[in-house]
Amino acid sequence: MHSPCVARCGLNADDYCMGCFRHIDEIVIWSSISDEQQQQIIDKLADRKQQFLGETNNQTLSRAKWLDAEKRINKG
């Protein structure tokens, strides 16, 4: 399954990308989860887009943010 990334990455204050509306944790694990799990995430994106309407990117999706998310995911 293709990633919903639209190459406009930028995170809001809760670490959701304002381009594709995935949480950073979902972005980090995307390539390692099943198609069914990916579809479950995709199914949430339209609602998130509406929820975050008008919010702006507060921070970029930096390598440091990515590594922090990986660390948090692998810890749990």
Side-chain angles (χ1 to χ4, degrees):
M1 184 170 298
H2 293 287
S3 166
C5 179
V6 294
R8 291 193 336 234
C9 302
L11 303 176
N12 71 4
D14 295 318
D15 287 340
Y16 283 91
C17 176
M18 295 291 91
C20 69
F21 303 102
R22 290 179 294 167
H23 189 269
I24 189 171
D25 293 356
E26 295 167 334
I27 295 168
V28 169
I29 64 170
W30 185 261
S31 63
S32 65
I33 59 176
S34 69
D35 285 349
E36 181 179 331
Q37 291 168 306
Q38 289 176 350
Q39 187 61 54
Q40 289 171 352
I41 292 170
I42 287 173
D43 291 345
K44 298 174 185 177
L45 300 182
D47 287 339
R48 287 182 185 167
K49 183 176 183 175
Q50 289 302 310
Q51 177 185 349
F52 299 136
L53 197 61
E55 284 195 35
T56 57
N57 301 340
N58 292 332
Q59 50 193 319
T60 59
L61 180 53
S62 66
R63 182 74 179 146
K65 283 292 252 184
W66 182 283
L67 294 173
D68 287 344
E70 277 186 335
K71 217 180 292 182
R72 185 176 56 255
I73 290 166
N74 291 328
K75 195 181 221 183

